[in-house]
Amino acid sequence: MSTARHFSNADLIDPPRSCPDLDVRDLEKRTRLMRIVTRLIAVSDLGCREIARRAGLPAQKISDLLAGRLEHLSLDELRLVYHTIDPEGALNY
C-alpha cells in the first residue's frame, strides 16, 4: 500500500490555507525598527524588565524582541519600545 499523497495542480500552486497573508512592507518596517530598538536596548542603561515596565508590555515581549521573534511584536509595540528608550527620538516608521 502506497503512503504517497496524490497532489492536484491546485495543491502545488495555491499556498496552504493556514499561512497568514504577509504584508511585505509591514514586515520590512518591523525588521528595520527591530534592529534599531535592539541596538538601543544594548546601549541603554535600562534593563529589559524596566523597559517592559515603562512601555506597559510584558517582559516576554522584550525577550521575544531580543531573540528575533519579530512575529510576536506589532509595529505599534515596537514604536512604543523605541519611544520608551529614546523619548526624543525622531522615528519615521
Side-chain angles (χ1 to χ4, degrees), residues 68-89:
R69 292 187 208 107
L70 189 57
E71 67 276 6
H72 293 208
L73 290 116
S74 69
L75 189 56
D76 290 335
E77 288 171 329
L78 288 166
R79 287 180 183 138
L80 180 62
V81 174
Y82 175 85
H83 288 296
T84 298
I85 300 168
D86 189 8
E88 297 175 8

Side-chain angles (χ1 to χ4, degrees), residues 41 48 51-52 55 57-67 73 81:
I41 290 172
C48 293
I51 292 169
L57 295 172
Q60 183 62 44
K61 290 278 188 171
I62 304 301
S63 182
D64 289 341
L65 170 67
L66 295 174
L73 290 116
V81 174

